[in-house]
Amino acid sequence: MFKSLPLPLSDANATAGGGANAFGDLPEWDLSDLYPAPDAPELAADMDWLEAECAAFANDYQGRLATLDAAAMTECIHRYEKIATVSGRVMSYVGLRYYQLTTDGARAKALSDAQDRITTYTAPLVFFSLEFNRIDDAVYAALFSAGDLARYKPVFDRMRATKPYQLSDELEKFLHDSSVVGAAAWNRLFDETEAGLEFDVQGEKLNLEATTTLMQDHDRAKREAAAREMARVLNLNIKTFARIHNTLAKEKEIEDRWRKMPSPQFSRHLSNDVEPEVVEALRNAVVAAYPRLSHRYYRLKAKWLGLDKLQVWDRNAPLPTEAPRTISWDEARATVLGAYAKFSPHMAEIALPFFEKGWIDAAVKPGKSSGAFAHPTVTTVHPYVMLNYLGKPRDVMTMAHELGHGVHQTLAAKQGELLADTPLTLAETASVFGEMLTFRALLDQAKTPAERKTLLAGKVEDMINTVVRQIAFYDFECKLHAARAEGELTPDDINALWMSVQSESLGDAFEFMPGYETYWAYIPHFVHSPFYVYAYAFGDGLVNALYAAYADGLPDFQAKYFAMLEAGGSKHHKELLAPFGLDASDPAFWDKGLSMIAGFIDELEALDAQGV
């Protein structure tokens, strides 16, 4: 229940740049709202407070939770929430500083030391969830039926859902204490290995972010050079990446076995507060739709590019009719805020301070963490957004996506630290909706059929990357964890698992170059948050259905939408979607979302038939 480090959500690490450049004056984080400096007395005081309060909390409540009346339980939860807030503030600060410059030894040490100290300080709190779950069901139901405790019930309902899978108090404490040398350590090794990768593309030294960006370049030779260099460098490091995946998958298998989890995916479903059958329905609907989505679209794209077969470096290539352009930071900002304001001025008002108050770090810099994320920090401060802005059209969509997260996190903060966090399946709702608003605003401004075709193709590719590609990633992870349970995996074993999902998901329009089999190695989701990836497909399908309700004129849509975001993690997805007439547990629900993508491809085929 304590806040983790922010998760870098894209594939790479950034390179040169920063401050004023071709894209304009790019903002950088001002982290002083968290702490004035790494040696600030406020930070030291919070660390001292945590040490003392965790010990005092355990002394006051261990062995007594089942005897507390409503007033005493309320005070207990408020104290527990304050510990979560202070520890989250500390870890947010040291984590965000680290992600600004992952290659800096002092920042890495500060992060590691803070993790070690907080792990030690919070060790006495391990009793809390274990003892809480042993409270008699009737006592629990009566206690949490009214007053302030009733508000917290969704949090503790989710906690009690883990009851069948918890271990002895002693084992849980051991896992807590050893976490800093387990998954957390392997996560850092992955991050630091990625940050240190260097690519030589046509004589230019690049890091991963810039190299993957080149695979969207208009120049096909440049795209190919970047793709082949990616494969070369990943292959040089493949043993390290294979060791990381082997170790983390085995560690997870051991813990899942001890906890008697029914599957490797189950703990993710549990933390997402989503039923396994709902995820399975989503997965099956997407896989069944591969032929009418990705396979059909990529055959069209091969035709547009004049190719018999697409190569991996053509997957995200711009269309031949698309004029190369660099989008300034100011234009991107105006586009996204304008789209938000058209939906609701309130949405734009919430997003505006991110640009004005140092809540976005946008420049591409050596050693900066990969891609993009929005980290909520704690509910008493505000979120921070990380981008690696390179002036591409997709960077504008990334801005819209992460600001959507920021708006969601800001609205949910009123729930307080324990109730604000949204399960991953719903956490992607506002971000993907923000993208959709921006796309629709651009589509409405299209002046010619060719411009409309370019926008539609870009959106279809984004949706395929969000839905088809992420479900293929999910299938890869399922296969990886199942295979690792049978024994150690060589790099070739993992490569083969990766390729087994690629041709199935991308279709017969593709030919895969030698070396593409290593591309699993640089994707951080598999390391940082196993089985995270289906949340993207969940969010996209959900947003497509939501947007259809909005376009159909559902009464009071904006008010219902903001109420959903403000709820944070206080309600189950069934309850949140009911005002929109939607139900994610209905298998037909997912076909509605997928039909929107298919409809865009229908329009592209019609434009193609007209010679556009």
Side-chain angles (χ1 to χ4, degrees):
M1 295 177 71
F2 291 100
K3 196 152 286 175
S4 62
L5 285 176
L7 172 66
L9 294 185
S10 76
D11 305 328
N13 205 50
T15 53
N21 55 30
F23 318 122
D25 191 13
L26 300 185
E28 296 184 351
W29 280 334
D30 175 2
L31 298 178
S32 61
D33 287 343
L34 290 166
Y35 294 101
D39 58 352
E42 295 91 337
L43 178 54
D46 276 352
M47 278 294 209
D48 291 343
W49 181 89
L50 276 171
E51 182 176 23
E53 178 59 13
C54 289
F57 184 92
N59 183 66
D60 292 343
Y61 295 112
Q62 189 163 7
R64 295 184 52 230
L65 283 185
T67 69
L68 300 181
D69 61 17
M73 180 62 80
T74 301
E75 182 186 359
C76 171
I77 290 172
H78 287 167
R79 286 178 64 180
Y80 188 80
E81 189 166 38
K82 177 69 180 297
I83 291 170
T85 301
V86 175
S87 62
R89 189 184 194 115
V90 171
M91 290 309 300
S92 293
Y93 180 70
V94 296
L96 293 175
R97 282 193 79 247
Y98 169 72
Y99 282 127
Q100 280 185 300
L101 189 59
T102 62
T103 51
D104 177 46
R107 296 183 188 218
K109 175 177 166 50
L111 171 59
S112 181
D113 288 349
Q115 283 178 318
D116 288 350
R117 290 178 66 185
I118 288 179
T119 299
T120 300
Y121 298 164
T122 56
L125 306 185
V126 171
F127 84 91
F128 182 78
S129 60
L130 303 173
E131 195 174 311
F132 196 96
N133 283 350
R134 288 195 287 266
I135 295 174
D136 181 78
D137 286 346
V139 173
Y140 170 71
L143 201 60
F144 281 75
S145 63
D148 202 23
L149 288 181
R151 192 174 75 83
Y152 285 104
K153 191 171 185 292
V155 177
F156 292 101
D157 282 349
R158 287 196 288 273
M159 178 190 285
R160 287 172 74 85
T162 68
K163 182 177 179 177
Y165 314 105
Q166 70 185 34
L167 303 173
S168 69
D169 293 16
E170 188 176 35
L171 275 174
E172 293 287 2
K173 187 174 186 304
F174 169 77
L175 289 174
H176 175 88
D177 288 350
S178 63
S179 63
V180 292
V181 292
W186 289 98
N187 273 233
R188 275 190 56 202
L189 175 61
F190 175 85
D191 289 341
E192 289 166 10
T193 301
E194 270 208 341
L197 295 180
E198 187 175 84
F199 303 83
D200 186 340
V201 183
Q202 297 181 336
E204 188 176 2
K205 301 291 185 186
L206 302 172
N207 281 8
L208 196 50
E209 187 78 36
T211 306
T212 55
T213 297
L214 280 181
M215 285 193 277
Q216 302 169 27
D217 199 271
H218 277 76
D219 185 341
R220 192 167 190 246
K222 193 173 287 186
R223 296 200 306 269
E224 179 179 356
R228 294 193 183 281
E229 178 66 358
M230 278 268 296
R232 184 188 73 81
V233 174
L234 291 176
N235 190 58
L236 290 175
N237 293 273
I238 204 68
K239 289 183 178 179
T240 300
F241 288 121
R243 171 59 46 226
I244 292 168
H245 283 70
N246 267 291
T247 303
L248 288 172
K250 184 61 179 177
E251 181 188 58
K252 188 178 192 312
E253 186 273 328
I254 293 168
E255 184 170 335
D256 285 350
R257 176 160 34 90
W258 275 79
R259 293 188 183 281
K260 296 182 171 57
M261 292 281 181
S263 72
Q265 303 87 347
F266 190 80
S267 59
R268 175 62 59 203
H269 304 334
L270 204 59
S271 67
N272 282 347
D273 198 22
V274 64
E275 300 76 11
E277 58 270 21
V278 172
V279 178
E280 188 67 11
L282 163 64
R283 182 263 171 201
N284 291 342
V286 174
V287 171
Y290 284 170
R292 63 190 176 99
L293 300 182
S294 50
H295 298 188
R296 185 163 62 119
Y297 173 75
Y298 287 128
R299 283 194 288 268
L300 260 182
K301 185 162 188 176
K303 178 183 176 183
W304 294 335
L305 294 178
L307 301 169
D308 293 328
K309 291 283 186 181
L310 295 174
Q311 299 291 340
V312 295
W313 55 82
D314 298 316
R315 187 171 60 83
N316 289 321
L319 302 187
T321 54
E322 185 179 342
R325 67 182 292 242
T326 296
I327 301 167
S328 73
W329 177 258
D330 287 344
E331 181 184 350
R333 165 182 160 152
T335 298
V336 173
L337 288 179
Y340 279 19
K342 184 178 179 182
F343 171 73
S344 166
H346 182 48
M347 192 170 182
E349 288 168 8
I350 298 170
L352 186 59
F354 284 83
F355 294 95
E356 296 183 338
K357 295 186 176 181
W359 300 357
I360 299 178
D361 195 303
V364 177
K365 294 170 286 189
K368 181 178 172 181
S369 187
S370 58
F373 62 74
H375 182 51
T377 70
V378 287
T379 56
T380 53
V381 186
H382 56 75
Y384 283 92
V385 165
M386 175 173 276
L387 305 174
N388 277 287
Y389 190 79
L390 290 166
K392 303 292 184 183
R394 278 193 171 89
D395 292 337
V396 181
M397 289 299 173
T398 299
M399 179 192 289
H401 181 102
E402 300 306 339
L403 278 174
H405 278 307
V407 168
H408 193 174
Q409 291 160 356
T410 301
L411 287 167
K414 66 182 65 175
Q415 296 291 341
E417 200 64 25
L418 297 185
L419 283 161
D421 277 352
T422 307
L424 291 179
T425 43
L426 293 169
E428 292 300 329
T429 303
S431 54
V432 180
F433 196 81
E435 283 189 75
M436 180 64 81
L437 291 174
T438 303
F439 164 70
R440 292 287 186 173
L442 292 171
L443 196 64
D444 289 344
Q445 296 166 17
K447 296 178 176 61
T448 65
E451 190 177 342
R452 185 175 180 86
K453 174 184 172 181
T454 297
L455 288 166
L456 280 168
K459 184 59 178 174
V460 167
E461 290 190 14
D462 287 343
M463 293 171 108
I464 288 173
N465 285 337
T466 302
V467 178
V468 169
R469 194 133 173 87
Q470 300 305 325
I471 290 300
F473 285 177
Y474 176 69
D475 278 355
F476 166 73
E477 284 191 274
C478 292
K479 291 184 176 187
L480 174 72
H481 284 262
R484 182 63 183 92
E486 301 299 318
E488 179 86 6
L489 300 175
T490 67
D492 286 343
D493 292 334
I494 305 177
N495 291 348
L497 295 175
W498 173 256
M499 293 308 298
S500 73
V501 302
Q502 295 304 306
S503 56
E504 179 190 19
S505 61
L506 296 178
D508 57 8
F510 273 90
E511 187 173 85
F512 298 103
M513 69 170 186
Y516 180 66
E517 65 274 6
T518 63
Y519 272 44
W520 56 269
Y522 77 101
I523 297 169
H525 306 71
F526 305 151
V527 173
H528 287 290
S529 194
F531 305 106
Y532 177 101
V533 289
Y534 74 73
Y536 288 114
F538 195 108
D540 194 89
L542 177 56
V543 163
N544 290 344
L546 276 175
Y547 195 88
Y550 169 55
D552 289 343
L554 181 72
D556 300 319
F557 182 91
Q558 281 87 341
K560 292 173 180 175
Y561 180 74
F562 287 124
M564 179 177 68
L565 301 189
E566 287 170 355
S570 68
K571 295 180 181 179
H572 186 265
H573 63 78
K574 272 185 175 292
E575 192 177 357
L576 288 172
L577 294 178
F580 303 94
L582 302 173
D583 181 2
S585 64
D586 179 1
F589 169 84
W590 301 112
D591 287 326
K592 293 178 185 175
L594 296 172
S595 294
M596 179 177 285
I597 308 174
F600 288 159
I601 300 174
D602 290 343
E603 185 174 349
L604 285 169
E605 285 182 333
L607 289 168
D608 184 69
Q610 296 166 20
V612 176

